[in-house]
Amino acid sequence: SFAACLLVGGVMKRFGVATALLAAAALPQAFATYGMDVSALVSADQYKCLKGKGIDFSIVRAWRSYGGFDSNARASVSNAWAGGMKNVDVYLFPCTSKSASDQVAGTVSGMKGVKYGQIWIDVETNPSSGCGWGSNLAQNCAYIGQLLDAVKSHGIKPGVYASPYMWGKIAGSSCTIGKNYPLWWADYNNVPGWPPYKAFGGWTKPAIHQFSDAGNACGVRYDKNYY
């Protein structure tokens, strides 16, 4: 499953959206799964309400763009499970002036004791002062690689959130550093599904499609997602 865990040889292993994608690929379109991502606190009752509206997974911000742990993350993730979400992941919005490994360690430490699946690396324009991406695409590509390696070093499956435009602007069209990890594809076309996806960054297909930023129900504003 999207956030399943398995105890192997005494070590807890996580399996993220890649596993879910393989399962979903074998099912008809009618069995598609709808979800949300949020950057604010969501209560268990709100998640229960959203569950009733057909939302089955949530991705919660755990690391903020200025380079600090999101104090709402632990509660939102726990509430997502309590509210009936089938799968729950977190995302890390990196501050590029800070150490990649330290930010990943901060995310993992901050979430210690709370069940979640993958950590997604958010690759987009960073609005926080002193944290934006530089103009050297090769350095940016390498930095993304450091983030992914750091997540993997903690025994957690990493993934990448990006749009073709942002990836090209930040990492460059020739950067394929994340191709072996799942892609959370951003394209606000308001149509859940894979068309009109076109390969970029070495990804031949996405794992998740973020298709709208206009979700608003149960007192929660959220982005709409699909896999």
Side-chain angles (χ1 to χ4, degrees), residues 61-84:
R61 184 181 66 189
W63 193 263
R64 303 184 62 143
S65 60
Y66 59 74
F69 184 69
D70 190 325
S71 60
N72 291 321
R74 293 177 62 85
S76 285
V77 169
S78 297
N79 291 341
W81 291 119

Side-chain angles (χ1 to χ4, degrees), residues 65-100:
S65 60
Y66 59 74
F69 184 69
D70 190 325
S71 60
N72 291 321
R74 293 177 62 85
S76 285
V77 169
S78 297
N79 291 341
W81 291 119
M85 296 294 105
K86 294 179 180 178
N87 306 293
V88 186
D89 281 3
V90 300
Y91 74 88
L92 184 163
F93 199 160
C95 172
T96 62
S97 63
K98 297 180 181 290
S99 159

Side-chain angles (χ1 to χ4, degrees), residues 6-163:
L6 178 66
L7 192 63
V8 180
V11 179
M12 190 66 75
K13 300 292 186 179
R14 287 182 174 89
F15 298 89
V17 76
T19 305
L21 179 64
L22 291 173
L27 298 175
Q29 186 78 3
F31 290 92
T33 302
Y34 291 87
M36 59 187 285
D37 65 271
V38 290
S39 57
L41 180 64
V42 181
S43 71
D45 284 344
Q46 286 173 318
Y47 271 118
K48 288 176 184 177
C49 176
L50 291 160
K51 172 77 172 178
K53 296 184 180 297
I55 293 177
D56 283 320
F57 71 88
S58 182
I59 306 176
V60 175
R61 184 181 66 189
W63 193 263
R64 303 184 62 143
S65 60
Y66 59 74
F69 184 69
D70 190 325
S71 60
N72 291 321
R74 293 177 62 85
S76 285
V77 169
S78 297
N79 291 341
W81 291 119
M85 296 294 105
K86 294 179 180 178
N87 306 293
V88 186
D89 281 3
V90 300
Y91 74 88
L92 184 163
F93 199 160
C95 172
T96 62
S97 63
K98 297 180 181 290
S99 159
S101 60
D102 286 351
Q103 291 182 90
V104 170
T107 302
V108 174
S109 176
M111 292 303 299
K112 187 176 181 180
V114 178
K115 176 186 175 183
Y116 63 96
Q118 296 181 227
I119 294 178
W120 297 88
I121 304 302
D122 187 350
V123 179
E124 62 178 312
T125 301
N126 188 318
S128 294
S129 177
C131 290
W133 296 92
S135 59
N136 189 314
L137 302 184
Q139 287 184 3
N140 293 342
C141 179
Y143 184 77
I144 294 168
Q146 292 170 21
L147 289 161
L148 295 169
D149 288 345
V151 173
K152 190 175 179 181
S153 74
H154 287 274
I156 302 170
K157 180 79 171 182
V160 176
Y161 168 89
S163 69

